[in-house]
Amino acid sequence: MAEYVIGDIHGEIDELKTIIDKINYDQTQDKLIFVGDYIDRGANSYQIYKYIKELDNGKNIFLRGNHEEMMIDAVLNNHNINLWYQNGGRKTEASFPNQTELKEAAHFFDSLPYYHADQEYIFVHAGINPTLTLEEQTKHDLIWIRYKFLGAKSDDFKEKRTIVAGHTPVAEVKFDENKILVDTGSGKGGILSAVDLNTKKVYNTSDKNPIASLLF
């Protein structure tokens, strides 16, 4: 069984379908782990929502990102609507056929976990506070943290598992001592990437060959 982690999609349905095709996804054998930010920026957030619902087979993992959190807050709580709009929410709202389906999507996103973990990895949207254990993390940090996580060395972390995260765009998937960064800028002028966690092979939606960048 192959296990793939897929980076931030941001409303780009063609990118997502391309990456699913490139990894030759087998729903009976393979497991997909998404790190959140399915919506906003790109024009096809509704189509992304419908597509990932089709992929929701009880085995695949869908995490929430900060963009889902903003949508939940705006659509379900009528709070911080302008914040969501300023971060691509208007395109998301416009892509939905009606408010009923928009609210259904917000409820679906509100059901998603903030992280997923196994013995080797912690999967999360943004990263973790290096000074805390996984159980001590705040929801805010799990979907918003950036520099404190990115700038920390492996020795700084209480958690010794590898953290797989999106949120911060990088030119290509980066493998650090204890981090794998998988947001390669889909919806923001970049591409979508996926990593086979068993082989560490990287797939992306550019015309280049799959690549992996190692940082030391």
Side-chain angles (χ1 to χ4, degrees), residues 133-194:
T133 66
L134 181 58
E135 292 71 25
E136 294 170 332
Q137 302 293 321
T138 66
K139 292 177 178 178
H140 183 272
D141 277 344
L142 294 173
I143 58 174
W144 284 101
I145 200 169
R146 199 181 302 274
Y147 302 112
K148 190 171 186 178
F149 164 67
L150 296 173
K153 301 297 184 183
S154 60
D155 290 345
D156 299 329
F157 284 81
K158 277 194 173 182
E159 286 288 349
K160 299 308 175 186
R161 287 171 283 186
T162 298
I163 300 101
V164 184
H167 187 54
T168 301
V170 289
E172 56 192 47
V173 171
K174 288 182 168 50
F175 295 81
D176 204 345
E177 312 172 290
N178 67 329
K179 308 180 190 83
I180 304 176
L181 305 179
V182 297
D183 178 4
T184 50
S186 178
K188 294 167 279 189
I191 57 177
L192 182 62
S193 296

Side-chain angles (χ1 to χ4, degrees), residues 92-110:
T92 295
E93 189 174 52
S95 74
F96 275 75
N98 52 62
Q99 287 293 312
T100 298
E101 291 207 61
L102 185 70
K103 288 185 177 180
E104 287 175 358
H107 281 295
F108 169 72
F109 292 135
D110 199 27

